[in-house]
Amino acid sequence: MKMSVPKVSVIIPSYNHRDYIGKAIKSVLMQDYNDFEVIIADDCSADDSVEVIKQYTDERIKTFFLSENIGATQILKFLINNSAGEYIALINSDDEWCEGKLSKQVEFLENNSDYAACFTWASFIDGEGNPIVDDDILNLDVFCEHNRSRFEWLNRFYYYGNCICHPSMLIRKSVYEEIGYYNDAYRQLPDFEYWVRLCSKYSIHILPEVLVKHRRLYGANENTSISSTQNSLRLYSETVNIYKNMFAQLDDSDIINIFKNNFINKDASTAEEIICEKYFLLANNPAIGSLLKNQAIQFFMDNYKDENVARCFREKYNYTVKDFFTDNVISIEGFEHVFKKNDFSFCSTVFYYYQGFAAENSTVVRPSIDQGGTFKLNFTVLKDCKMLRIDPIENYMMVVKSAKAFVDKRETEIQPVNCEQFDSKQYFLNTDPQYIMTGEFKKGSRIEVLLEVDFIADSEFYELNREGLIKEISDTSYPQASLIDLYKFKNMEIERLSHELDISRRETEKVIADFKNSVSWRITKPIRTVKNILSKKAGRE
């Protein structure tokens, strides 16, 4: 008897996950919604994944075992092309679904024809299936977002990056026919690039319930989500390209709908004004900072030759080519800086608004910094919130000698997030210092933050504990990543350090050279010797 066409096609790309693929398949077969087919394609795994897959004989399962590896995005295209359902659901071979996922998503899309896709919240699990509840790198709430219009999603993507979990997706198959498949050129962010294209045309919905367990694997079984050096370098490169293409492909009306609240001139509407706003948006992205600044420079150069655009910059924005020259001096001297006012003339401070566990909006302001190293931050609260997170400045390690905050001129408590405190000082041994303020902040309130800072000389921390740092690196799974972290503390003798870490000089020089093209701290995992270094500095054991 000929089987009817299923409503949903569940696609499972499999690759070297023999310990997890069975759990993924079981989590699909145990769904309370049954009108689906399961299509599994193994991408020439080198382990026993194929043998595990063959153990499942449910009549709804269709399998393909490829004789050569075709890669993550190509195998998704293969699976989609071999699907029959009206809807496509994806689960990776190392992830798991929770009960009720499919039924709740199908119900939503069946009742809301104007939405192209439905996603869910997701939690993180480790290789043993245990919930990840504490992680120094992961934002554990990243996949717990509330719903937005498609324009609001694009704004969110631009300022915060990817925040949608791919294996939580249920999407209409017709969407792939309309806007195409995933881009093969992306290894880290093919899903994020697709979400930008998706929201450029369609509305999406998030079910506010954790219905996916997203696994993070480290070491030999590391997946592409892990923050290794190579993954991080690719991630930033791909992010820059996604944002560049986003600006190139959106028309002016979309730019206004997406970014009007971020415009310098809230009434910008002419073609010339939108060009000016695009430049300032590219030049002041807090998510990846100076990496996108190169795109801003090129964008300005390409457009300023138009006299109408140049006139608009001068007359509407009081921004001249001299300002452009001043704002776009990108340092290539590594991390040997001192605090001087001109060093930070192009920097931005970001204030994030929280009502619950996730930031809902942000305000970008320019800090005022005097020669003594005092940051003065002033801004007006744009919406009611219960917590403010302040990211004073990126790309510099610093010691804060005092921190004060005022709400409508009344002093209020401000707490550091990611620092070590010694001798009444706050030591930020990362280049993304953060503070939080809690309370009831009303729209229109005036916030003032004063930070008295000193620059951390990288050499002093390195010299204090060189042997300990070398041992720490040798014991880690990511010697190259940790080597880059060490480079932040001192421009060391590459040859000697390479020998001690058993890494070739050429490989070491390449990794450091690649890193010097980026100014972001978040590119690698931090060294976990901060307390030892600071204890020795303070004369403590």
Side-chain angles (χ1 to χ4, degrees):
M1 183 176 70
K2 187 176 181 179
M3 294 182 62
S4 60
V5 177
K7 175 67 73 172
V8 178
S9 293
V10 179
I11 61 175
I12 307 180
S14 167
Y15 184 66
N16 285 351
H17 284 149
R18 65 182 178 189
D19 295 331
Y20 310 112
I21 179 64
K23 296 180 177 67
I25 296 171
K26 285 180 182 177
S27 74
V28 174
L29 298 179
M30 292 176 62
Q31 293 293 305
D32 58 2
Y33 181 85
N34 294 312
D35 189 8
F36 63 81
E37 63 175 353
V38 182
I39 310 173
I40 308 172
D42 184 83
D43 198 14
C44 195
S45 291
D47 62 7
D48 298 327
S49 294
V50 170
E51 284 68 25
V52 175
I53 294 168
K54 287 180 178 179
Q55 295 174 14
Y56 293 87
T57 58
D58 190 294
E59 63 179 5
R60 293 169 295 181
I61 297 177
K62 184 192 306 182
T63 56
F64 298 90
F65 304 116
L66 306 188
S67 59
E68 62 179 75
N69 183 274
I70 62 174
T73 54
Q74 276 296 310
I75 202 165
L76 287 178
K77 182 178 180 180
F78 175 87
L79 286 163
I80 294 166
N81 284 336
N82 281 279
S83 67
E86 178 183 348
Y87 302 122
I88 301 291
L90 163 75
I91 179 170
N92 295 322
S93 54
D94 57 344
D95 293 329
E96 298 175 29
W97 284 352
C98 301
E99 294 181 8
K101 175 189 180 291
L102 272 186
S103 59
K104 293 174 182 179
Q105 290 182 294
V106 171
E107 180 182 8
F108 178 84
L109 288 182
E110 289 285 277
N111 294 325
N112 295 274
S113 59
D114 51 337
Y115 285 83
C118 179
F119 301 86
T120 78
W121 287 358
S123 62
F124 291 96
I125 57 175
D126 61 20
E128 302 300 319
N130 301 312
I132 298 176
V133 296
D134 184 21
D135 193 285
D136 291 337
I137 299 175
L138 279 177
N139 173 7
L140 298 177
D141 297 324
V142 66
F143 294 139
C144 295
E145 291 287 327
H146 61 76
N147 281 294
R148 299 172 170 86
S149 71
R150 68 182 186 90
F151 296 122
E152 290 170 332
W153 273 118
L154 290 168
N155 184 283
R156 179 76 176 179
F157 292 155
Y158 183 71
Y159 285 108
Y160 297 91
N162 190 18
C163 47
I164 293 178
C165 185
H166 198 184
S168 79
M169 172 191 75
L170 183 70
I171 189 170
R172 300 181 193 278
K173 186 177 180 181
S174 59
V175 172
Y176 291 106
E177 298 167 359
E178 289 286 330
I179 64 174
Y181 297 96
Y182 302 92
N183 190 328
D184 291 345
Y186 292 85
R187 184 177 188 270
Q188 300 302 129
L189 299 172
D191 53 342
F192 182 39
E193 190 272 340
Y194 201 81
W195 307 152
V196 172
R197 276 193 281 149
L198 179 66
C199 291
S200 296
K201 188 169 184 178
Y202 302 105
S203 295
I204 64 172
H205 182 76
I206 308 288
L207 291 180
E209 183 178 353
V210 174
L211 295 173
V212 171
K213 297 177 183 178
H214 187 48
R215 198 181 305 272
R216 289 296 173 104
L217 300 174
Y218 298 85
N221 293 320
E222 171 184 309
N223 51 23
T224 56
S225 302
I226 294 303
S227 294
S228 68
T229 306
Q230 291 182 342
N231 286 353
S232 296
L233 288 168
R234 275 193 298 263
L235 184 145
Y236 278 88
S237 174
E238 291 177 12
T239 301
V240 167
N241 201 60
I242 289 169
Y243 291 160
K244 180 185 72 173
N245 290 341
M246 177 179 172
F247 274 74
Q249 294 166 7
L250 293 169
D251 61 32
D252 287 357
S253 62
D254 284 340
I255 293 292
I256 293 171
N257 284 323
I258 297 164
F259 295 109
K260 184 173 183 177
N261 290 335
N262 306 105
F263 281 179
I264 293 175
N265 172 18
K266 307 297 185 192
D267 297 322
S269 60
T270 68
E272 292 76 18
E273 288 171 340
I274 299 304
I275 288 173
C276 294
E277 294 293 348
K278 282 183 178 180
Y279 165 71
F280 292 117
L281 289 168
L282 287 168
N284 293 285
N285 182 299
I288 55 173
S290 61
L291 290 179
L292 198 58
K293 203 172 187 70
N294 290 325
Q295 298 297 328
I297 293 172
Q298 188 62 53
F299 183 83
F300 185 93
M301 291 176 172
D302 289 343
N303 286 279
Y304 198 78
K305 57 190 176 185
D306 185 321
E307 181 52 38
N308 292 327
V309 172
R311 185 182 304 109
C312 186
F313 269 111
R314 294 192 301 269
E315 297 179 0
K316 296 287 185 68
Y317 294 87
N318 194 29
Y319 192 85
T320 67
V321 72
K322 290 184 179 179
D323 295 317
F324 171 74
F325 295 152
T326 300
D327 284 353
N328 292 288
V329 176
I330 298 180
S331 171
I332 57 172
E333 299 300 324
F335 298 89
E336 296 292 342
H337 297 287
V338 295
F339 270 108
K340 293 181 180 179
K341 184 175 181 180
N342 290 341
D343 287 339
F344 305 97
S345 60
F346 59 86
C347 292
S348 299
T349 294
V350 188
F351 290 81
Y352 297 93
Y353 301 85
Y354 289 74
Q355 274 290 9
F357 52 81
E360 297 182 0
N361 212 329
S362 64
T363 297
V364 181
V365 300
R366 290 285 183 93
S368 169
I369 308 166
D370 64 24
Q371 294 290 346
T374 299
F375 283 52
K376 297 181 181 179
L377 313 168
N378 293 277
F379 83 106
T380 301
V381 176
L382 299 181
K383 63 180 296 182
D384 294 350
C385 64
K386 295 182 179 179
M387 186 177 82
L388 288 168
R389 191 185 95 204
I390 302 100
D391 292 8
I393 194 168
E394 293 186 347
N395 309 325
Y396 293 90
M397 296 176 288
M398 63 186 188
V399 178
V400 177
K401 294 183 285 187
S402 69
K404 294 182 179 181
F406 302 85
V407 180
D408 295 328
K409 298 185 178 180
R410 295 191 302 273
E411 188 167 359
T412 189
E413 188 175 17
I414 182 169
Q415 292 288 340
V417 175
N418 51 349
C419 75
E420 295 292 337
Q421 300 196 47
F422 287 87
D423 301 327
S424 302
K425 296 179 182 178
Q426 299 159 0
Y427 289 78
F428 291 92
L429 287 192
N430 57 68
T431 52
D432 186 20
Q434 298 175 6
Y435 286 88
I436 58 170
M437 298 166 58
T438 57
E440 295 291 336
F441 301 100
K442 300 297 183 182
K443 181 179 179 180
S445 295
R446 189 69 180 169
I447 304 295
E448 181 180 18
V449 177
L450 301 176
L451 304 176
E452 187 179 354
V453 299
D454 275 340
F455 175 65
I456 295 179
D458 38 312
S459 55
E460 65 175 305
F461 291 101
Y462 168 73
E463 294 298 346
L464 281 170
N465 199 18
R466 183 177 187 279
E467 291 184 3
L469 290 173
I470 297 295
K471 183 178 185 303
E472 182 86 15
I473 292 169
S474 300
D475 292 341
T476 67
S477 301
Y478 307 109
Q480 291 171 309
S482 298
L483 175 59
I484 291 176
D485 284 328
L486 263 180
Y487 181 74
K488 295 186 176 95
F489 292 98
K490 184 174 176 65
N491 187 3
M492 300 166 294
E493 312 91 79
I494 293 176
E495 194 166 68
R496 185 173 61 160
L497 194 61
S498 300
H499 175 72
E500 292 186 43
L501 295 178
D502 195 26
I503 303 174
S504 72
R505 178 188 175 94
R506 178 177 295 179
E507 186 176 18
T508 303
E509 288 179 331
K510 181 181 185 303
V511 173
I512 288 179
D514 288 343
F515 176 74
K516 287 180 71 176
N517 291 327
S518 164
V519 198
S520 174
W521 166 264
R522 292 188 297 260
I523 203 165
T524 55
K525 77 172 200 164
I527 299 176
R528 303 183 183 277
T529 53
V530 171
K531 289 187 178 180
N532 290 339
I533 295 171
L534 289 173
S535 294
K536 187 170 288 189
K537 178 181 174 63
R540 307 169 188 172
E541 292 299 328

